[in-house]
Amino acid sequence: MTDLGDFGDFDGGDDGDDGGGSSADVDGDGAPAGDGGTGDDSAPAGGSAAREEEFEPLDVSPRGSDRGIGTIAVSEGLQICEREEDTQLRAYVTTGNRPNVRIGSYLLVPYPDGERLFCRITGLEYAQAFHADDATEIHARRAMRRDGIDEADYKFMATLEPMAVLFEQPAAGTAADGSTGDEPGDNGELTRRMVDRVPKPETVVREAVDTSEIKTGLKMPEDGVFIGHLSVGGETVTTNAEPPTIDYRLKDDYEAGDPLVFRHTLVAGGTGSGKTHGAKNILRQYVADDRTYPMEDGRSVTPALVMFDPQDEYAQMHDDNPEMTDAFARRLEREGIAHGGVTDTTAFVPKVGQATYAADHHRAEQVEFTVPFSMVRSRPWLVASAGLNDNQYPALKYLLKRFFDQHGNEGTYEQFRRFLDDPALKEELDESGRVHEATFDAVKRRTYGFGDVFDQAARPITELVHEFVRPGGVSVVPTYHVNDTRATTTVVLALASLLVDEKLSNDPTHDRIKETPLVLGMDEAHNFLTDADNVQARKVISKFTDAAKQGRKERLGLFLITQDPQDIADPVFKQVNTKVVLNLGDEDAIKSVNIPPNLESKVPYMEKGQMVVYSPDNSEPVECIGLSTCVTEHGR
């Protein structure tokens, strides 16, 4: 290969004798050394100064100032189609705007009649502006000796996804031209429709910087439960308004359907993703003083929050966050975001065996309770957690019925154990063909080991319902102090099923539950709502599936929090309308949440507090950032 040498010093001269002489015949300014070429900058003829005076510089910049980031291009086609894959919409981005353009940014393309095409950047590409081969040694080494890149040599193209057409909806009594007689030019409310028009070539494309345009384009409601601030690529979207951020909220009234709290929420995120921090911020909004829901008797009632908490973190919602500054609090107030501790927060502590609960990280009131064995009368599966099969479960139901017929609701677990120890009962049931002796023995073995769960030295939860469910109050059930996994599961499912059964019942025992809007929160939900091949799991899933289906009618909302969404039973998962997805590293977990592919690819790379919100009945799928400071106490 020929050595090009230091081609940067090449001066364009001819090394031969026939062509105008050598480089020695030219002075430092490029003028001939003979006949008037003195090398002096002040020389009147042939010098550089004379040449500068001889040619007037030409300004090639267009008049006026640039608007937008570029223009619609037609070089590779321009079409809007019903099939998304056939749509071709690209924009040329001018040199000065290129550093600030990002995938996911929202843009507006105006039509001549004032309507606007709202779209999103889905791809960015450099393309050659001229036919040239830049994959050569000369191009590469020239670039290696240069400090910058001459972007004018390349086209920078943005691929756009059309999302909606924005237009002014004439207000009632407004003429077709937008005039009302009293207020000419008032065109009414900004609204959206499906994309049905193609923009004109060379139309100027601009960034969407108006809050109303962005919220309308993304179908986001103006009011509701605050989730976070709209973002793109981890950066908050800013506008020309005050505050400059765009708040993302969930619909919370009956004007546009049922409030989404009663159509259920899933918060999924791995360890360190900000899952609990974000969940506290959202749940705090539901128990704000001004948030109420109408009941069938005409009352408007603030919901009660019952939170099952295996990590003992949510009782801190009682306390203010000492890290919150006055400036941040004023910002939250301006945006209508509830903050500060909920004074009416109580930790209902299950009494299980010798386990003791010691909490010095919150100031919430603590109330001990026990699960009475009487709850098993209508929920036999509570003592089937050891894995009874479908043949053994009917035997358990019969034995429980016979026991409670003899002892009434006052019957205890210890009495039930003595009841099963009676050899005469076993022989009688076997001889009558009611329960085979092998089945009897299996039931006896598998219902053993609940002595630390039922009928402990504390008030039964059935006597505490009025305190447990309080409008505007937060009841937290911590289970961190219980080391027995089976005991924990039994306690949580006993209380959760009590709430669900009373909500769905047409003849409830506890009117307080039936007549109060209820948000039922469950952290590590995959541990309790998992789909498994045993009687208890199937009964639990069936119960919570019914609760999820009827939640909107009964004012019952499930709020599930998990780092393993793939383990939540499918019948329950399908009823969840709103998914808040933070960082997840597991591929199966990411796939299971069923969010759009363009957002799914971002999930493993999201920083703490970043989230994807997929709520089809609320808005287009979006990326958000949660509050940097928790609105209540957080952290241990």
Side-chain angles (χ1 to χ4, degrees), residues 457-620:
R459 288 183 65 189
I461 191 63
T462 49
E463 296 179 8
L464 293 168
V465 168
H466 202 270
E467 294 86 352
F468 190 50
V469 178
R470 309 178 308 284
V474 178
S475 294
V476 180
V477 182
T479 56
Y480 185 76
H481 63 295
V482 181
N483 295 323
D484 186 343
T485 302
R486 186 169 71 160
T488 298
T489 302
T490 303
V491 169
V492 171
L493 294 181
L495 270 61
S497 63
L498 170 66
L499 298 172
V500 169
D501 289 342
E502 291 295 299
K503 267 295 183 186
L504 302 185
S505 174
N506 293 323
D507 185 24
T509 304
H510 305 282
D511 291 336
R512 167 58 74 89
I513 299 175
K514 185 73 173 180
E515 297 172 357
T516 305
L518 177 63
V519 179
L520 180 58
M522 188 174 287
D523 202 352
E524 296 190 8
H526 56 277
N527 288 335
F528 309 107
L529 300 180
T530 187
D531 205 353
D533 189 22
N534 60 62
V535 170
Q536 185 192 47
R538 288 197 294 271
K539 295 295 182 181
V540 170
I541 297 310
S542 175
K543 183 180 297 293
F544 276 85
T545 300
D546 291 341
K549 289 179 178 179
Q550 300 183 49
R552 65 181 76 182
K553 179 179 65 135
E554 300 295 346
R555 309 298 194 269
L556 170 65
L558 302 181
F559 195 94
L560 310 179
I561 306 166
T562 179
Q563 59 184 344
D564 296 315
Q566 73 275 17
D567 291 339
I568 293 181
D570 210 41
V572 176
F573 194 93
K574 286 180 178 178
Q575 301 301 318
V576 174
N577 183 270
T578 301
K579 300 169 188 172
V580 180
V581 184
L582 295 97
N583 181 283
L584 284 169
D586 183 81
E587 184 176 346
D588 291 336
I590 296 172
K591 291 290 184 185
S592 70
V593 292
N594 296 324
I595 58 177
N598 63 294
L599 294 174
E600 181 182 288
S601 61
K602 296 182 179 182
V603 169
Y605 306 102
M606 293 194 300
E607 300 293 333
K608 184 175 182 178
Q610 288 181 242
M611 63 186 79
V612 169
V613 183
Y614 184 41
S615 185
D617 292 333
N618 191 68
S619 74
E620 297 287 345

